[in-house]
Amino acid sequence: SLRVQAATTARLAWWCLHRSVLVNSTGHHDRDRAPTDGTSRGKGLAIAGIVLGAVGIVGFILWIILIVVAVNNNNCNTYGNC
């Protein structure tokens, strides 16, 4: 049914957003704790976490915009009241 699909999609989107925020904040925390003695131990992974978290957050926002546009276009085409 459409309700089940919508609920599943919303749960998946929420899970992805939650993970992206978590990865982003963990990356910032780990970057601050990386050693500053000239070695690069862990700093690359921290930056990768920041980048991947930001990509996930931006992707979530774009996904929401896409859904809103699709719903508005679907109503216009179905009922013909544009």
Side-chain angles (χ1 to χ4, degrees), residues 19-34 41-54:
R19 296 299 182 245
S20 295
V21 170
L22 184 64
V23 166
N24 197 346
S25 64
T26 304
H28 280 289
H29 177 73
D30 289 344
R31 187 189 62 186
D32 293 340
R33 294 187 61 192
R41 293 185 353 222
K43 196 167 190 171
L45 287 175
I47 292 173
I50 293 168
V51 169
L52 289 175

Side-chain angles (χ1 to χ4, degrees), residues 1-7:
S1 105
L2 188 58
R3 279 187 148 171
V4 173
Q5 290 175 351

Side-chain angles (χ1 to χ4, degrees), residues 2-16 60 63-64 67:
L2 188 58
R3 279 187 148 171
V4 173
Q5 290 175 351
T8 303
T9 304
R11 280 190 207 121
L12 180 62
W14 176 251
W15 186 81
C16 290
F60 177 79
W63 184 80
I64 292 295
I67 295 298

Side-chain angles (χ1 to χ4, degrees), residues 34-41 43:
T36 57
D37 58 358
T39 62
S40 61
R41 293 185 353 222
K43 196 167 190 171

